[in-house]
């Protein structure tokens, strides 16, 4: 259960490193100190000992979070001290869970780290009021547009101790004391008119103090719109899951596009292959025709009409004589037989072949 919340504006000099150092210094001073704690500046840090855990995590644009939890302290209750730093603003939260074995204490104690921050020079004032545990004694009420409520104690004798009230509500309200003939407790909420806090003289001091503190704390808690560590962690997991799904979709689309492109290229290559096959078939057909014609030209007998073409006949006979002269002398077969084999395609007459001179080699 969230039992304390306040929001503070910081100076430009403040940063997450200063916050971590202040937080660790406070933690090691408390009864809940963690032995052998060794923080080396990690943006995501988790350290645990029995019944205690410390978490330091940078949630980037959602803020820098420090959270300390104890599950079983001296009073047998569970509490969480959490600080969120975002956009030069500190969100201070104190969660407390009461169990059946707890030693219950009515008043809510403010964690020491919160008071260390209130006293530091890194916290801006709320209008003219500093964030501290001291009351203000004024002659008259000023028109102050503050972010925190103002509790006005009036009268010659105040119903409540101003110092004790200021200490209990540090960071939740400013305490202003005014001298007046009548005693009263009044509250000035931000952007509202002053209202009287109803009380009875029969009501005890402690009871009145508790009721007034609970009223102011409840008002401040209702102003809390920041996320807790658990909420931020769940949001981060959801974003990672969303990014993973988106990445999966993008990868799927990428490979589907790749497959479609490959299929288109394959279809194009198949069409080109078929076209090449058709061209090859045509080329083979043409080649076959040309080969056939070439064979006809090479083996068809050449007919010579010696009556009509005397000049061509003379040329052939000269060619035969040249061929005979160029034969190798070592050949043992007759030159006339060779000439008959080589020039049989000329279809010369038997008488014409007989005129070719021959002799043995």
């Amino acid at each position: 259960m969230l039992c304390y919340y306040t929001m503070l504006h910081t100076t430009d000099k403040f940063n997450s490193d200063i916050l971590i150092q202040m937080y660790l210094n406070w933690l090691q001073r408390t009864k809940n100190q963690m032995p052998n704690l060794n923080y080396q500046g990690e943006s995501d840090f988790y350290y645990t000992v029995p019944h205690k855990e410390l978490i330091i995590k940078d949630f980037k644009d959602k803020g820098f979070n420090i959270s300390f939890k104890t599950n079983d302290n001296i009073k047998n209750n569970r509490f969480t001290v959490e600080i969120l730093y975002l956009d030069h603003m500190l969100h201070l939260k104190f969660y407390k869970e009461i169990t059946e074995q707890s030693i219950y204490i009515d008043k809510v104690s403010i964690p020491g780290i919160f008071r260390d921050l209130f006293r530091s020079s890194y916290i801006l004032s709320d209008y003219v009021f500093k964030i501290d545990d001291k009351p203000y004694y004024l002659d008259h009420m000023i028109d102050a547009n503050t972010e925190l409520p103002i509790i006005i104690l009036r009268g010659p004798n105040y119903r409540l101790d101003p110092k004790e009230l200021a200490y209990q509500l540090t960071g939740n309200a400013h305490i202003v004391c005014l001298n007046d003939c009548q005693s009263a407790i009044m509250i000035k909420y931000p952007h509202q008119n002053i209202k009287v806090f109803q009380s009875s003289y029969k009501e005890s001091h402690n009871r009145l103090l508790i009721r007034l503190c609970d009223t102011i704390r409840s008002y401040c808690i209702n102003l809390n719109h920041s996320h807790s560590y658990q909420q931020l962690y769940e949001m981060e997991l959801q974003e990672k899951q969303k990014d993973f799904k988106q990445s999966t979709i993008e990868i799927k689309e990428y490979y589907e596009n790749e497959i479609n492109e490959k299929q288109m290229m394959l279809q194009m290559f198949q069409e080109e292959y078929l076209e090449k096959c058709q061209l090859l078939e045509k080329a083979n057909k043409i080649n076959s025709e040309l080969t056939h014609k070439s064979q006809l030209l090479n083996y068809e007998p050449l007919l010579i009409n010696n009556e009509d073409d005397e000049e061509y006949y003379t040329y052939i006979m000269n060619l035969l004589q040249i061929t005979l002269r160029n034969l190798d002398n070592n050949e043992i077969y007759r030159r006339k037989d060779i000439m008959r084999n080589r020039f049989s395609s000329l279809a010369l007459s038997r008488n014409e072949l007989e005129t070719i001179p021959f002799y043995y080699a």
Side-chain angles (χ1 to χ4, degrees), residues 29-40:
R29 296 197 315 263
T30 67
K31 297 178 181 179
N32 292 295
Q33 59 183 272
M34 306 178 75
N36 302 319
L37 175 62
N38 185 21
Y39 176 73
Q40 298 294 329

Side-chain angles (χ1 to χ4, degrees), residues 2 4-8 89-93 126 146-150 171-173 188-192 215-227:
L2 181 61
Y4 181 91
Y5 170 79
T6 191
M7 181 180 65
L8 307 174
M89 296 181 66
L90 286 170
H91 300 268
L92 311 183
K93 306 173 193 177
D126 184 14
T146 60
E147 292 187 356
L148 295 177
I150 300 175
N172 283 155
K188 170 69 170 63
Y189 290 106
H191 311 293
Q192 296 182 22
T215 300
I216 298 301
R217 290 195 186 105
S218 296
Y219 170 82
C220 292
I221 289 173
N222 290 331
L223 296 178
N224 173 34
H225 298 294
S226 64
H227 298 291

Side-chain angles (χ1 to χ4, degrees), residues 71-308:
N71 294 325
D72 185 16
N73 62 3
I74 298 174
K75 299 176 183 178
N76 290 323
N77 53 28
R78 302 171 183 175
F79 68 82
T80 301
V81 179
E82 185 174 297
I83 299 178
L84 177 66
Y85 179 55
L86 176 64
D87 297 332
H88 296 290
M89 296 181 66
L90 286 170
H91 300 268
L92 311 183
K93 306 173 193 177
F94 180 54
Y95 300 86
K96 193 169 186 178
E97 181 181 347
I98 308 299
T99 64
E100 294 181 357
Q101 293 79 25
S102 299
I103 301 175
Y104 185 75
I105 299 177
D106 279 343
K107 63 182 180 180
V108 176
S109 59
I110 300 175
I113 178 59
F114 294 177
R115 294 191 182 277
D116 291 344
L117 288 167
F118 297 153
R119 298 188 189 102
S120 72
S121 59
Y122 300 110
I123 305 303
L124 297 176
S125 299
D126 184 14
Y127 194 67
V128 296
F129 300 105
K130 292 183 179 180
I131 310 297
D132 56 23
D133 55 0
K134 297 180 178 60
Y136 291 84
Y137 296 89
L138 304 177
D139 294 332
H140 60 277
M141 186 60 196
I142 61 175
D143 185 13
N145 186 19
T146 60
E147 292 187 356
L148 295 177
I150 300 175
I151 299 177
I152 305 168
L153 301 179
R154 303 180 63 175
N157 297 313
Y158 306 124
R159 293 287 310 277
L160 296 172
D161 182 0
K163 292 182 180 180
E164 182 180 9
L165 186 60
Y167 185 82
Q168 293 293 332
L169 292 178
T170 307
N172 283 155
H174 307 294
I175 311 303
V176 174
C177 301
L178 298 177
N179 290 323
D180 202 334
C181 58
Q182 294 183 352
S183 296
I185 300 175
M186 310 181 76
I187 302 176
K188 170 69 170 63
Y189 290 106
H191 311 293
Q192 296 182 22
N193 295 325
I194 298 176
K195 297 180 181 180
V196 176
F197 183 74
Q198 298 296 329
S199 62
S200 171
Y201 282 97
K202 296 180 180 181
E203 189 174 14
S204 68
H205 173 273
N206 288 337
R207 182 61 186 169
L208 179 61
L209 177 62
I210 293 171
R211 191 163 61 88
L212 178 58
C213 289
D214 287 345
T215 300
I216 298 301
R217 290 195 186 105
S218 296
Y219 170 82
C220 292
I221 289 173
N222 290 331
L223 296 178
N224 173 34
H225 298 294
S226 64
H227 298 291
S228 65
Y229 167 81
Q230 189 62 33
Q231 291 172 328
L232 291 171
Y233 182 71
E234 290 175 357
M235 290 168 61
E236 184 180 59
L237 290 179
Q238 291 174 357
E239 289 181 359
K240 287 182 179 180
Q241 185 178 15
K242 182 179 179 181
D243 293 341
F244 177 76
K245 289 181 178 179
Q246 184 64 31
S247 299
T248 304
I249 293 173
E250 291 177 355
I251 292 173
K252 181 180 178 182
E253 291 178 350
Y254 171 79
Y255 281 108
E256 285 179 347
N257 293 334
E258 284 287 313
I259 292 172
N260 291 334
E261 290 181 4
K262 298 300 183 185
Q263 288 177 342
M264 292 176 63
M265 292 179 63
L266 179 60
Q267 183 179 359
M268 182 180 66
F269 288 144
Q270 288 176 341
E271 292 176 354
E272 185 177 357
Y273 174 76
L274 293 175
E275 183 180 353
K276 298 294 185 183
C277 288
Q278 292 175 357
L279 292 175
L280 179 61
E281 185 179 357
K282 290 181 180 179
N284 289 335
K285 185 177 180 180
I286 294 173
N287 185 55
S288 178
E289 294 176 354
L290 292 176
T291 301
H292 180 66
K293 290 181 179 180
S294 176
Q295 291 174 349
L296 292 177
L297 291 174
N298 289 334
Y299 299 106
E300 185 176 359
L302 179 62
L303 301 178
I304 299 174
N305 190 338
N306 56 2
E307 295 179 356
D308 299 332

